Amino acid sequence: MAPATSLSSDVHSMVDHAETPAAKKLKPNIEATETNETDWRSNVRGEKDLVTPRPAWWWTGQVPEDCPGWHSEGYLTSLPLPDLSKVTRESTLKYFENTWAITETLFSALQGEEPFYRPPYHQLRHP
């Protein structure tokens, strides 16, 4: 069994390690969050169209219902990865349109303008 002084010094080194510059970077910057809280609101215009279902103008690619991978039951699935040994221009285009529609469908789940402008609490990349 280790002496008590050894355990005590291990605990102190862990506490000291918690205040390293790298650890401090992980702590949220409360001041930055508060200033960003007001900055992003200047972009909000009160758009009512950013709710599901999205209007036709919102989609930058094909409407999901017209996209490859759409099922008559009312959902979109991902196409299988193309076989690169026999890929065609048509299959590449279908795969791109499918993945683009899936990405836009994901973003269509964001309701209203706020999710597009409000900075994330973790101060990392914004969608």
Side-chain angles (χ1 to χ4, degrees):
M1 180 178 241
T5 57
S6 173
L7 179 60
S8 176
S9 66
D10 289 345
V11 170
H12 287 295
S13 77
M14 289 187 333
V15 170
D16 292 341
H17 179 69
E19 293 303 318
T20 63
K24 288 179 183 178
K25 286 182 183 177
L26 296 175
K27 292 182 180 177
N29 185 345
I30 302 301
E31 292 171 6
T33 304
E34 289 171 357
T35 58
N36 288 342
E37 187 70 26
T38 55
D39 294 342
W40 67 267
R41 291 185 191 273
S42 64
N43 295 312
V44 176
R45 298 177 298 205
E47 301 266 341
K48 302 297 183 202
D49 292 329
L50 294 176
V51 292
T52 303
R54 299 290 192 203
W57 64 261
W58 190 85
W59 305 97
T60 61
Q62 290 185 343
V63 176
E65 291 83 3
D66 299 335
C67 182
W70 181 260
H71 293 272
S72 59
E73 293 84 21
Y75 61 92
L76 182 64
T77 59
S78 181
L79 295 179
L81 286 171
D83 181 358
L84 298 180
S85 66
K86 52 185 175 185
V87 69
T88 64
R89 183 181 178 100
E90 182 181 346
S91 68
T92 302
L93 182 60
K94 284 183 180 182
Y95 187 77
F96 176 81
E97 289 171 344
N98 175 260
T99 56
W100 190 266
I102 289 172
T103 302
E104 286 198 318
T105 301
L106 174 67
F107 279 102
S108 74
L110 300 175
Q111 299 296 300
E113 292 176 274
E114 185 174 330
F116 292 96
Y117 293 113
R118 178 188 285 272
Y121 69 91
H122 47 66
Q123 303 297 312
L124 298 176
R125 186 175 172 181
H126 195 271

